[in-house]
Amino acid sequence: MKREEFEAVIMANGIFPSHAVPLDILQRAPHVVACDGAVNRYPQAEAVVGDGDSIAEEYRPKLVVIDEQDDNDLTKATRYCLSRGWRRIAYLGATGQREDHTLGNIALLMRYYRDMGVNGVMYTDHGQFTPVSGKRTFQSFAGQQVSIFNFGSTRIESEGLKWDSYAYRELWQGTLNEALADHFTLYADGNYMVYQTYDGKSKR
């Protein structure tokens, strides 16, 4: 699959990535913004957004304090990027620790897309989450595992997936689908989130 280009990476304070895909994105990023304590593991970040209570003293000159308690550091870092005109954002390190934080961060990705105009993708060590709306064709490969999460669409149809899609009412209903070739297309009348694995289904 072709690697996407981003204007910035936001490094959250979850599990630091180890897979080649997110590490390559991090290496090629023109700008990296860390969420508070994440700078301790990625000191090359050009800015640190948060309250600074978990960062080493040497990184305090990079600290950007946003005095507002309604949003978490991931959202504050997103606003920081938007203030600099960066809308193509890759999110790394946003999963892998507390499950409630993981679920909240994935849901926030749709908020950033829908309400803030962010073209973002969240990368984990297993795959990537992409918020979209309407018709979208995705690069893929035969055997890639695909899950679709509905965020308000009343119609979702698919071409190139093993099982036909529909307007899922529950989060679990769109999981565990599979791509049949080098691309698949989804048609919807609203928002939805697509998860794609880096590797195909293992054979046992």
Side-chain angles (χ1 to χ4, degrees):
M1 292 172 59
K2 182 180 178 181
R3 299 286 170 85
E4 297 190 60
E5 298 294 331
F6 295 94
E7 296 170 295
V9 161
I10 292 178
M11 177 62 70
N13 202 19
I15 295 297
F16 193 87
S18 61
H19 194 280
V21 170
L23 288 177
D24 178 65
I25 290 168
L26 180 60
Q27 183 179 18
R28 294 186 293 112
H31 305 282
V32 179
V33 177
C35 293
D36 213 39
V39 72
N40 295 324
R41 289 173 293 166
Y42 194 77
Q44 301 93 318
E46 65 184 67
V48 186
V49 177
D51 56 18
D53 62 353
S54 58
I55 70 172
E57 190 66 31
E58 62 192 289
Y59 305 130
R60 290 195 171 275
K62 300 181 179 182
L63 183 62
V64 178
V65 178
I66 299 177
D67 294 323
E68 179 261 302
Q69 297 300 318
D70 291 336
D71 287 315
N72 66 0
D73 288 343
L74 194 72
T75 303
K76 293 175 182 179
T78 298
R79 288 180 172 160
Y80 175 86
C81 288
L82 291 175
S83 72
R84 277 144 183 79
W86 308 330
R87 293 188 174 275
R88 288 287 304 154
I89 303 172
Y91 294 86
L92 309 183
T95 64
Q97 291 192 2
R98 278 180 49 178
E99 290 82 1
D100 55 342
H101 288 178
T102 291
L103 188 58
N105 287 342
I106 294 170
L108 279 170
L109 190 63
M110 178 56 73
R111 177 192 175 194
Y112 304 154
Y113 172 78
R114 182 189 60 212
D115 300 339
M116 300 166 68
V118 173
N119 292 316
V121 181
M122 184 176 291
Y123 293 87
T124 75
D125 274 339
H126 304 283
Q128 63 191 63
F129 289 93
T130 307
V132 290
S133 63
K135 176 185 175 182
R136 177 71 67 90
T137 296
F138 295 82
Q139 292 185 349
S140 188
F141 57 87
Q144 184 182 46
Q145 301 299 283
V146 176
S147 292
I148 304 162
F149 303 95
N150 189 11
F151 281 80
S153 295
T154 62
R155 178 180 71 89
I156 301 177
E157 299 175 1
S158 60
E159 292 179 359
L161 294 179
K162 190 172 183 178
W163 291 281
D164 291 337
S165 300
Y166 60 95
Y168 312 108
R169 298 182 61 184
E170 306 290 344
L171 288 177
W172 57 267
Q173 290 178 317
T175 62
L176 307 179
N177 213 324
E178 185 172 320
L180 300 176
D182 62 358
H183 69 277
F184 62 90
T185 302
L186 294 170
Y187 305 85
D189 61 359
N191 298 315
Y192 55 100
M193 183 108 65
V194 175
Y195 176 80
Q196 298 170 266
T197 59
Y198 304 135
D199 304 314
K201 186 175 183 180
S202 60
K203 305 295 184 182
R204 293 189 178 181

